[in-house]
PDB file of all heavy atoms in Angstrom:
ATOM      1  N   ALA A 126     116.245  -4.086 243.530  1.00  0.00           N
ATOM      2  CA  ALA A 126     117.603  -4.408 243.969  1.00  0.00           C
ATOM      3  C   ALA A 126     117.494  -5.342 245.181  1.00  0.00           C
ATOM      4  O   ALA A 126     116.580  -5.202 245.997  1.00  0.00           O
ATOM      5  CB  ALA A 126     118.362  -3.146 244.332  1.00  0.00           C
ATOM      6  N   VAL A 127     118.406  -6.288 245.280  1.00  0.00           N
ATOM      7  CA  VAL A 127     118.320  -7.335 246.302  1.00  0.00           C
ATOM      8  C   VAL A 127     119.658  -7.460 247.017  1.00  0.00           C
ATOM      9  O   VAL A 127     120.705  -7.588 246.362  1.00  0.00           O
ATOM     10  CB  VAL A 127     117.937  -8.685 245.676  1.00  0.00           C
ATOM     11  CG1 VAL A 127     117.683  -9.728 246.760  1.00  0.00           C
ATOM     12  CG2 VAL A 127     116.701  -8.548 244.772  1.00  0.00           C
ATOM     13  N   ASP A 128     119.639  -7.432 248.358  1.00  0.00           N
ATOM     14  CA  ASP A 128     120.878  -7.568 249.102  1.00  0.00           C
ATOM     15  C   ASP A 128     121.135  -9.027 249.491  1.00  0.00           C
ATOM     16  O   ASP A 128     120.364  -9.930 249.124  1.00  0.00           O
ATOM     17  CB  ASP A 128     120.888  -6.644 250.326  1.00  0.00           C
ATOM     18  CG  ASP A 128     119.884  -7.057 251.411  1.00  0.00           C
ATOM     19  OD1 ASP A 128     119.284  -8.151 251.320  1.00  0.00           O
ATOM     20  OD2 ASP A 128     119.706  -6.270 252.365  1.00  0.00           O
ATOM     21  N   ALA A 129     122.189  -9.266 250.243  1.00  0.00           N
ATOM     22  CA  ALA A 129     122.591 -10.631 250.584  1.00  0.00           C
ATOM     23  C   ALA A 129     121.587 -11.328 251.476  1.00  0.00           C
ATOM     24  O   ALA A 129     121.551 -12.562 251.546  1.00  0.00           O
ATOM     25  CB  ALA A 129     123.966 -10.599 251.261  1.00  0.00           C
ATOM     26  N   GLN A 130     120.741 -10.566 252.171  1.00  0.00           N
ATOM     27  CA  GLN A 130     119.703 -11.149 253.018  1.00  0.00           C
ATOM     28  C   GLN A 130     118.373 -11.262 252.288  1.00  0.00           C
ATOM     29  O   GLN A 130     117.340 -11.546 252.891  1.00  0.00           O
ATOM     30  CB  GLN A 130     119.519 -10.296 254.291  1.00  0.00           C
ATOM     31  CG  GLN A 130     120.696 -10.359 255.251  1.00  0.00           C
ATOM     32  CD  GLN A 130     121.915  -9.607 254.751  1.00  0.00           C
ATOM     33  OE1 GLN A 130     121.801  -8.473 254.257  1.00  0.00           O
ATOM     34  NE2 GLN A 130     123.097 -10.215 254.868  1.00  0.00           N
ATOM     35  N   THR A 131     118.394 -11.038 250.968  1.00  0.00           N
ATOM     36  CA  THR A 131     117.213 -11.098 250.099  1.00  0.00           C
ATOM     37  C   THR A 131     116.181 -10.044 250.471  1.00  0.00           C
ATOM     38  O   THR A 131     114.980 -10.219 250.235  1.00  0.00           O
ATOM     39  CB  THR A 131     116.568 -12.505 250.092  1.00  0.00           C
ATOM     40  OG1 THR A 131     117.572 -13.483 250.213  1.00  0.00           O
ATOM     41  CG2 THR A 131     115.843 -12.760 248.764  1.00  0.00           C
ATOM     42  N   ASN A 132     116.616  -8.925 251.057  1.00  0.00           N
ATOM     43  CA  ASN A 132     115.733  -7.773 251.190  1.00  0.00           C
ATOM     44  C   ASN A 132     115.597  -7.098 249.832  1.00  0.00           C
ATOM     45  O   ASN A 132     116.549  -7.074 249.045  1.00  0.00           O
ATOM     46  CB  ASN A 132     116.298  -6.776 252.198  1.00  0.00           C
ATOM     47  CG  ASN A 132     116.374  -7.343 253.605  1.00  0.00           C
ATOM     48  OD1 ASN A 132     115.370  -7.814 254.141  1.00  0.00           O
ATOM     49  ND2 ASN A 132     117.553  -7.306 254.191  1.00  0.00           N
ATOM     50  N   LEU A 133     114.421  -6.538 249.567  1.00  0.00           N
ATOM     51  CA  LEU A 133     114.134  -5.882 248.297  1.00  0.00           C
ATOM     52  C   LEU A 133     114.159  -4.371 248.475  1.00  0.00           C
ATOM     53  O   LEU A 133     113.582  -3.840 249.442  1.00  0.00           O
ATOM     54  CB  LEU A 133     112.760  -6.308 247.774  1.00  0.00           C
ATOM     55  CG  LEU A 133     112.457  -7.809 247.739  1.00  0.00           C
ATOM     56  CD1 LEU A 133     111.032  -8.040 247.235  1.00  0.00           C
ATOM     57  CD2 LEU A 133     113.465  -8.547 246.871  1.00  0.00           C
ATOM     58  N   PHE A 134     114.801  -3.662 247.531  1.00  0.00           N
ATOM     59  CA  PHE A 134     114.881  -2.208 247.577  1.00  0.00           C
ATOM     60  C   PHE A 134     114.323  -1.634 246.273  1.00  0.00           C
ATOM     61  O   PHE A 134     114.657  -2.104 245.187  1.00  0.00           O
ATOM     62  CB  PHE A 134     116.338  -1.753 247.755  1.00  0.00           C
ATOM     63  CG  PHE A 134     116.957  -2.156 249.052  1.00  0.00           C
ATOM     64  CD1 PHE A 134     117.477  -3.439 249.222  1.00  0.00           C
ATOM     65  CD2 PHE A 134     117.027  -1.268 250.117  1.00  0.00           C
ATOM     66  CE1 PHE A 134     118.058  -3.820 250.429  1.00  0.00           C
ATOM     67  CE2 PHE A 134     117.601  -1.642 251.319  1.00  0.00           C
ATOM     68  CZ  PHE A 134     118.120  -2.916 251.485  1.00  0.00           C
ATOM     69  N   PHE A 135     113.505  -0.570 246.402  1.00  0.00           N
ATOM     70  CA  PHE A 135     112.958   0.072 245.209  1.00  0.00           C
ATOM     71  C   PHE A 135     112.453   1.462 245.559  1.00  0.00           C
ATOM     72  O   PHE A 135     112.410   1.860 246.732  1.00  0.00           O
ATOM     73  CB  PHE A 135     111.845  -0.776 244.586  1.00  0.00           C
ATOM     74  CG  PHE A 135     110.675  -1.059 245.496  1.00  0.00           C
ATOM     75  CD1 PHE A 135     109.515  -0.289 245.442  1.00  0.00           C
ATOM     76  CD2 PHE A 135     110.715  -2.122 246.396  1.00  0.00           C
ATOM     77  CE1 PHE A 135     108.435  -0.550 246.262  1.00  0.00           C
ATOM     78  CE2 PHE A 135     109.638  -2.400 247.229  1.00  0.00           C
ATOM     79  CZ  PHE A 135     108.495  -1.612 247.165  1.00  0.00           C
ATOM     80  N   GLN A 136     112.084   2.222 244.535  1.00  0.00           N
ATOM     81  CA  GLN A 136     111.556   3.567 244.687  1.00  0.00           C
ATOM     82  C   GLN A 136     110.118   3.597 244.162  1.00  0.00           C
ATOM     83  O   GLN A 136     109.790   2.921 243.183  1.00  0.00           O
ATOM     84  CB  GLN A 136     112.395   4.580 243.904  1.00  0.00           C
ATOM     85  CG  GLN A 136     113.823   4.685 244.392  1.00  0.00           C
ATOM     86  CD  GLN A 136     114.720   5.509 243.470  1.00  0.00           C
ATOM     87  OE1 GLN A 136     115.835   5.110 243.179  1.00  0.00           O
ATOM     88  NE2 GLN A 136     114.251   6.665 243.011  1.00  0.00           N
ATOM     89  N   THR A 137     109.286   4.424 244.797  1.00  0.00           N
ATOM     90  CA  THR A 137     107.907   4.583 244.332  1.00  0.00           C
ATOM     91  C   THR A 137     107.706   5.975 243.752  1.00  0.00           C
ATOM     92  O   THR A 137     108.428   6.917 244.066  1.00  0.00           O
ATOM     93  CB  THR A 137     106.904   4.371 245.478  1.00  0.00           C
ATOM     94  OG1 THR A 137     107.103   5.388 246.474  1.00  0.00           O
ATOM     95  CG2 THR A 137     107.072   2.990 246.104  1.00  0.00           C
ATOM     96  N   ALA A 138     106.667   6.070 242.937  1.00  0.00           N
ATOM     97  CA  ALA A 138     106.342   7.335 242.285  1.00  0.00           C
ATOM     98  C   ALA A 138     105.279   8.080 243.090  1.00  0.00           C
ATOM     99  O   ALA A 138     104.917   7.694 244.200  1.00  0.00           O
ATOM    100  CB  ALA A 138     105.874   7.062 240.855  1.00  0.00           C
ATOM    101  N   ASN A 139     104.769   9.185 242.533  1.00  0.00           N
ATOM    102  CA  ASN A 139     103.799  10.028 243.223  1.00  0.00           C
ATOM    103  C   ASN A 139     102.622   9.224 243.745  1.00  0.00           C
ATOM    104  O   ASN A 139     102.096   8.361 243.032  1.00  0.00           O
ATOM    105  CB  ASN A 139     103.270  11.106 242.268  1.00  0.00           C
ATOM    106  CG  ASN A 139     104.354  12.041 241.782  1.00  0.00           C
ATOM    107  OD1 ASN A 139     105.328  12.293 242.482  1.00  0.00           O
ATOM    108  ND2 ASN A 139     104.181  12.567 240.572  1.00  0.00           N
ATOM    109  N   GLY A 140     102.209   9.536 244.956  1.00  0.00           N
ATOM    110  CA  GLY A 140     101.059   8.870 245.542  1.00  0.00           C
ATOM    111  C   GLY A 140     100.846   9.333 246.962  1.00  0.00           C
ATOM    112  O   GLY A 140     101.579  10.177 247.493  1.00  0.00           O
ATOM    113  N   THR A 141      99.823   8.787 247.594  1.00  0.00           N
ATOM    114  CA  THR A 141      99.530   9.162 248.969  1.00  0.00           C
ATOM    115  C   THR A 141     100.640   8.667 249.895  1.00  0.00           C
ATOM    116  O   THR A 141     101.275   7.644 249.647  1.00  0.00           O
ATOM    117  CB  THR A 141      98.177   8.595 249.414  1.00  0.00           C
ATOM    118  OG1 THR A 141      98.171   7.176 249.186  1.00  0.00           O
ATOM    119  CG2 THR A 141      97.042   9.228 248.639  1.00  0.00           C
ATOM    120  N   PHE A 142     100.848   9.423 250.970  1.00  0.00           N
ATOM    121  CA  PHE A 142     101.928   9.104 251.900  1.00  0.00           C
ATOM    122  C   PHE A 142     101.385   9.126 253.323  1.00  0.00           C
ATOM    123  O   PHE A 142     100.882  10.143 253.796  1.00  0.00           O
ATOM    124  CB  PHE A 142     103.062  10.117 251.744  1.00  0.00           C
ATOM    125  CG  PHE A 142     104.188   9.930 252.733  1.00  0.00           C
ATOM    126  CD1 PHE A 142     105.017   8.828 252.648  1.00  0.00           C
ATOM    127  CD2 PHE A 142     104.399  10.863 253.740  1.00  0.00           C
ATOM    128  CE1 PHE A 142     106.055   8.649 253.565  1.00  0.00           C
ATOM    129  CE2 PHE A 142     105.431  10.690 254.644  1.00  0.00           C
ATOM    130  CZ  PHE A 142     106.257   9.583 254.556  1.00  0.00           C
ATOM    131  N   ASP A 143     101.472   8.003 253.998  1.00  0.00           N
ATOM    132  CA  ASP A 143     101.022   7.889 255.378  1.00  0.00           C
ATOM    133  C   ASP A 143     101.822   6.782 256.051  1.00  0.00           C
ATOM    134  O   ASP A 143     101.279   5.836 256.595  1.00  0.00           O
ATOM    135  CB  ASP A 143      99.524   7.588 255.439  1.00  0.00           C
ATOM    136  CG  ASP A 143      99.013   7.548 256.874  1.00  0.00           C
ATOM    137  OD1 ASP A 143      99.661   8.125 257.755  1.00  0.00           O
ATOM    138  OD2 ASP A 143      97.974   6.899 257.108  1.00  0.00           O
ATOM    139  N   ALA A 144     103.138   6.913 256.010  1.00  0.00           N
ATOM    140  CA  ALA A 144     103.988   5.865 256.560  1.00  0.00           C
ATOM    141  C   ALA A 144     103.863   5.769 258.074  1.00  0.00           C
ATOM    142  O   ALA A 144     104.191   4.743 258.669  1.00  0.00           O
ATOM    143  CB  ALA A 144     105.435   6.104 256.171  1.00  0.00           C
ATOM    144  N   THR A 145     103.372   6.832 258.717  1.00  0.00           N
ATOM    145  CA  THR A 145     103.191   6.783 260.177  1.00  0.00           C
ATOM    146  C   THR A 145     102.305   5.627 260.577  1.00  0.00           C
ATOM    147  O   THR A 145     102.544   4.943 261.581  1.00  0.00           O
ATOM    148  CB  THR A 145     102.587   8.105 260.680  1.00  0.00           C
ATOM    149  OG1 THR A 145     103.445   9.183 260.300  1.00  0.00           O
ATOM    150  CG2 THR A 145     102.430   8.078 262.188  1.00  0.00           C
ATOM    151  N   ASN A 146     101.280   5.380 259.781  1.00  0.00           N
ATOM    152  CA  ASN A 146     100.357   4.274 260.051  1.00  0.00           C
ATOM    153  C   ASN A 146     100.711   3.021 259.247  1.00  0.00           C
ATOM    154  O   ASN A 146      99.968   2.042 259.267  1.00  0.00           O
ATOM    155  CB  ASN A 146      98.918   4.694 259.748  1.00  0.00           C
ATOM    156  CG  ASN A 146      98.453   5.797 260.667  1.00  0.00           C
ATOM    157  OD1 ASN A 146      98.663   5.720 261.878  1.00  0.00           O
ATOM    158  ND2 ASN A 146      97.833   6.822 260.110  1.00  0.00           N
ATOM    159  N   GLY A 147     101.824   3.089 258.518  1.00  0.00           N
ATOM    160  CA  GLY A 147     102.321   1.907 257.836  1.00  0.00           C
ATOM    161  C   GLY A 147     101.490   1.433 256.681  1.00  0.00           C
ATOM    162  O   GLY A 147     101.389   0.222 256.441  1.00  0.00           O
ATOM    163  N   THR A 148     100.867   2.377 255.923  1.00  0.00           N
ATOM    164  CA  THR A 148     100.002   1.936 254.831  1.00  0.00           C
ATOM    165  C   THR A 148     100.372   2.503 253.474  1.00  0.00           C
ATOM    166  O   THR A 148     100.379   1.762 252.491  1.00  0.00           O
ATOM    167  CB  THR A 148      98.542   2.294 255.136  1.00  0.00           C
ATOM    168  OG1 THR A 148      98.431   3.717 255.301  1.00  0.00           O
ATOM    169  CG2 THR A 148      98.049   1.581 256.386  1.00  0.00           C
ATOM    170  N   ASP A 149     100.677   3.793 253.376  1.00  0.00           N
ATOM    171  CA  ASP A 149     100.824   4.434 252.070  1.00  0.00           C
ATOM    172  C   ASP A 149     102.226   5.019 251.920  1.00  0.00           C
ATOM    173  O   ASP A 149     102.678   5.796 252.764  1.00  0.00           O
ATOM    174  CB  ASP A 149      99.787   5.536 251.892  1.00  0.00           C
ATOM    175  CG  ASP A 149      98.368   4.994 251.868  1.00  0.00           C
ATOM    176  OD1 ASP A 149      98.206   3.797 251.588  1.00  0.00           O
ATOM    177  OD2 ASP A 149      97.425   5.762 252.134  1.00  0.00           O
ATOM    178  N   TYR A 150     102.869   4.657 250.803  1.00  0.00           N
ATOM    179  CA  TYR A 150     104.288   4.978 250.618  1.00  0.00           C
ATOM    180  C   TYR A 150     104.541   5.622 249.261  1.00  0.00           C
ATOM    181  O   TYR A 150     105.399   5.187 248.507  1.00  0.00           O
ATOM    182  CB  TYR A 150     105.124   3.710 250.765  1.00  0.00           C
ATOM    183  CG  TYR A 150     105.122   3.129 252.169  1.00  0.00           C
ATOM    184  CD1 TYR A 150     104.212   2.135 252.512  1.00  0.00           C
ATOM    185  CD2 TYR A 150     106.019   3.581 253.132  1.00  0.00           C
ATOM    186  CE1 TYR A 150     104.194   1.604 253.794  1.00  0.00           C
ATOM    187  CE2 TYR A 150     106.012   3.056 254.411  1.00  0.00           C
ATOM    188  CZ  TYR A 150     105.097   2.067 254.736  1.00  0.00           C
ATOM    189  OH  TYR A 150     105.082   1.545 256.007  1.00  0.00           O
ATOM    190  N   GLY A 151     103.810   6.711 248.927  1.00  0.00           N
ATOM    191  CA  GLY A 151     104.104   7.446 247.718  1.00  0.00           C
ATOM    192  C   GLY A 151     105.410   8.207 247.847  1.00  0.00           C
ATOM    193  O   GLY A 151     105.739   8.732 248.915  1.00  0.00           O
ATOM    194  N   ASP A 152     106.185   8.291 246.779  1.00  0.00           N
ATOM    195  CA  ASP A 152     107.469   8.996 246.730  1.00  0.00           C
ATOM    196  C   ASP A 152     108.388   8.545 247.855  1.00  0.00           C
ATOM    197  O   ASP A 152     108.859   9.351 248.675  1.00  0.00           O
ATOM    198  CB  ASP A 152     107.259  10.509 246.781  1.00  0.00           C
ATOM    199  CG  ASP A 152     106.740  11.055 245.455  1.00  0.00           C
ATOM    200  OD1 ASP A 152     107.357  10.754 244.418  1.00  0.00           O
ATOM    201  OD2 ASP A 152     105.714  11.758 245.451  1.00  0.00           O
ATOM    202  N   CYS A 153     108.678   7.261 247.884  1.00  0.00           N
ATOM    203  CA  CYS A 153     109.530   6.681 248.930  1.00  0.00           C
ATOM    204  C   CYS A 153     110.601   5.768 248.350  1.00  0.00           C
ATOM    205  O   CYS A 153     110.424   5.201 247.270  1.00  0.00           O
ATOM    206  CB  CYS A 153     108.688   5.832 249.900  1.00  0.00           C
ATOM    207  SG  CYS A 153     107.700   6.773 251.067  1.00  0.00           S
ATOM    208  N   PHE A 154     111.703   5.631 249.068  1.00  0.00           N
ATOM    209  CA  PHE A 154     112.586   4.484 248.952  1.00  0.00           C
ATOM    210  C   PHE A 154     112.064   3.449 249.942  1.00  0.00           C
ATOM    211  O   PHE A 154     111.842   3.770 251.113  1.00  0.00           O
ATOM    212  CB  PHE A 154     114.030   4.839 249.314  1.00  0.00           C
ATOM    213  CG  PHE A 154     114.722   5.721 248.327  1.00  0.00           C
ATOM    214  CD1 PHE A 154     114.697   7.104 248.476  1.00  0.00           C
ATOM    215  CD2 PHE A 154     115.421   5.177 247.258  1.00  0.00           C
ATOM    216  CE1 PHE A 154     115.358   7.917 247.572  1.00  0.00           C
ATOM    217  CE2 PHE A 154     116.084   5.988 246.347  1.00  0.00           C
ATOM    218  CZ  PHE A 154     116.046   7.358 246.499  1.00  0.00           C
ATOM    219  N   LEU A 155     111.910   2.219 249.501  1.00  0.00           N
ATOM    220  CA  LEU A 155     111.372   1.182 250.365  1.00  0.00           C
ATOM    221  C   LEU A 155     112.318  -0.001 250.454  1.00  0.00           C
ATOM    222  O   LEU A 155     112.983  -0.371 249.484  1.00  0.00           O
ATOM    223  CB  LEU A 155     110.016   0.692 249.844  1.00  0.00           C
ATOM    224  CG  LEU A 155     108.794   1.553 250.207  1.00  0.00           C
ATOM    225  CD1 LEU A 155     107.595   1.128 249.401  1.00  0.00           C
ATOM    226  CD2 LEU A 155     108.507   1.475 251.694  1.00  0.00           C
ATOM    227  N   LYS A 156     112.352  -0.601 251.634  1.00  0.00           N
ATOM    228  CA  LYS A 156     113.063  -1.852 251.876  1.00  0.00           C
ATOM    229  C   LYS A 156     112.047  -2.850 252.404  1.00  0.00           C
ATOM    230  O   LYS A 156     111.409  -2.620 253.433  1.00  0.00           O
ATOM    231  CB  LYS A 156     114.173  -1.644 252.905  1.00  0.00           C
ATOM    232  CG  LYS A 156     114.892  -2.918 253.346  1.00  0.00           C
ATOM    233  CD  LYS A 156     115.920  -2.596 254.433  1.00  0.00           C
ATOM    234  CE  LYS A 156     116.644  -3.832 254.932  1.00  0.00           C
ATOM    235  NZ  LYS A 156     117.643  -3.491 255.989  1.00  0.00           N
ATOM    236  N   LEU A 157     111.864  -3.939 251.670  1.00  0.00           N
ATOM    237  CA  LEU A 157     110.934  -4.991 252.085  1.00  0.00           C
ATOM    238  C   LEU A 157     111.716  -6.209 252.546  1.00  0.00           C
ATOM    239  O   LEU A 157     112.648  -6.656 251.858  1.00  0.00           O
ATOM    240  CB  LEU A 157     110.007  -5.408 250.936  1.00  0.00           C
ATOM    241  CG  LEU A 157     109.116  -4.356 250.287  1.00  0.00           C
ATOM    242  CD1 LEU A 157     108.170  -5.025 249.287  1.00  0.00           C
ATOM    243  CD2 LEU A 157     108.334  -3.551 251.305  1.00  0.00           C
ATOM    244  N   THR A 158     111.340  -6.755 253.683  1.00  0.00           N
ATOM    245  CA  THR A 158     111.881  -8.029 254.088  1.00  0.00           C
ATOM    246  C   THR A 158     111.111  -9.141 253.396  1.00  0.00           C
ATOM    247  O   THR A 158     109.921  -9.001 253.092  1.00  0.00           O
ATOM    248  CB  THR A 158     111.806  -8.210 255.611  1.00  0.00           C
ATOM    249  OG1 THR A 158     112.333  -9.487 255.953  1.00  0.00           O
ATOM    250  CG2 THR A 158     110.371  -8.103 256.121  1.00  0.00           C
ATOM    251  N   THR A 159     111.797 -10.250 253.127  1.00  0.00           N
ATOM    252  CA  THR A 159     111.152 -11.385 252.456  1.00  0.00           C
ATOM    253  C   THR A 159     111.127 -12.615 253.345  1.00  0.00           C
ATOM    254  O   THR A 159     110.940 -13.732 252.867  1.00  0.00           O
ATOM    255  CB  THR A 159     111.889 -11.714 251.144  1.00  0.00           C
ATOM    256  OG1 THR A 159     113.245 -12.096 251.453  1.00  0.00           O
ATOM    257  CG2 THR A 159     111.908 -10.525 250.202  1.00  0.00           C
ATOM    258  N   ALA A 160     111.330 -12.445 254.650  1.00  0.00           N
ATOM    259  CA  ALA A 160     111.386 -13.560 255.582  1.00  0.00           C
ATOM    260  C   ALA A 160     109.980 -14.086 255.869  1.00  0.00           C
ATOM    261  O   ALA A 160     109.308 -13.641 256.787  1.00  0.00           O
ATOM    262  CB  ALA A 160     112.051 -13.125 256.880  1.00  0.00           C
ATOM    263  N   GLY A 161     109.537 -15.013 255.031  1.00  0.00           N
ATOM    264  CA  GLY A 161     108.226 -15.620 255.202  1.00  0.00           C
ATOM    265  C   GLY A 161     107.075 -14.853 254.590  1.00  0.00           C
ATOM    266  O   GLY A 161     106.017 -15.425 254.317  1.00  0.00           O
ATOM    267  N   HIS A 162     107.268 -13.550 254.379  1.00  0.00           N
ATOM    268  CA  HIS A 162     106.251 -12.720 253.739  1.00  0.00           C
ATOM    269  C   HIS A 162     106.895 -11.388 253.383  1.00  0.00           C
ATOM    270  O   HIS A 162     108.017 -11.094 253.803  1.00  0.00           O
ATOM    271  CB  HIS A 162     105.060 -12.498 254.673  1.00  0.00           C
ATOM    272  CG  HIS A 162     105.382 -11.716 255.910  1.00  0.00           C
ATOM    273  ND1 HIS A 162     106.165 -12.201 256.915  1.00  0.00           N
ATOM    274  CD2 HIS A 162     105.056 -10.442 256.274  1.00  0.00           C
ATOM    275  CE1 HIS A 162     106.296 -11.299 257.866  1.00  0.00           C
ATOM    276  NE2 HIS A 162     105.645 -10.219 257.506  1.00  0.00           N
ATOM    277  N   LEU A 163     106.178 -10.590 252.597  1.00  0.00           N
ATOM    278  CA  LEU A 163     106.669  -9.250 252.270  1.00  0.00           C
ATOM    279  C   LEU A 163     106.158  -8.261 253.313  1.00  0.00           C
ATOM    280  O   LEU A 163     104.953  -8.228 253.605  1.00  0.00           O
ATOM    281  CB  LEU A 163     106.188  -8.812 250.886  1.00  0.00           C
ATOM    282  CG  LEU A 163     106.784  -9.524 249.673  1.00  0.00           C
ATOM    283  CD1 LEU A 163     106.242  -8.910 248.384  1.00  0.00           C
ATOM    284  CD2 LEU A 163     108.305  -9.471 249.691  1.00  0.00           C
ATOM    285  N   ALA A 164     107.067  -7.476 253.856  1.00  0.00           N
ATOM    286  CA  ALA A 164     106.682  -6.453 254.824  1.00  0.00           C
ATOM    287  C   ALA A 164     107.692  -5.320 254.764  1.00  0.00           C
ATOM    288  O   ALA A 164     108.876  -5.536 254.443  1.00  0.00           O
ATOM    289  CB  ALA A 164     106.642  -7.033 256.238  1.00  0.00           C
TER     290      ALA A 164
END
């Protein structure tokens, strides 16, 4: 799903989760910015 600012939204399935360190996002809703790169 894409909003007016071209941010990307999606859901992930089962996997490792360590969002504190910004690396692993199993079973998450995610929002990615597309401003020059994906983050």
Side-chain angles (χ1 to χ4, degrees):
V127 187
D128 68 9
Q130 291 72 45
T131 326
N132 296 305
L133 310 178
F134 295 82
F135 59 97
Q136 297 170 225
T137 64
N139 298 330
T141 54
F142 176 69
D143 184 22
T145 302
N146 295 314
T148 59
D149 296 339
Y150 293 94
D152 285 309
C153 284
F154 290 92
L155 278 168
K156 174 183 179 180
L157 301 187
T158 179
T159 62
H162 65 291
L163 290 183

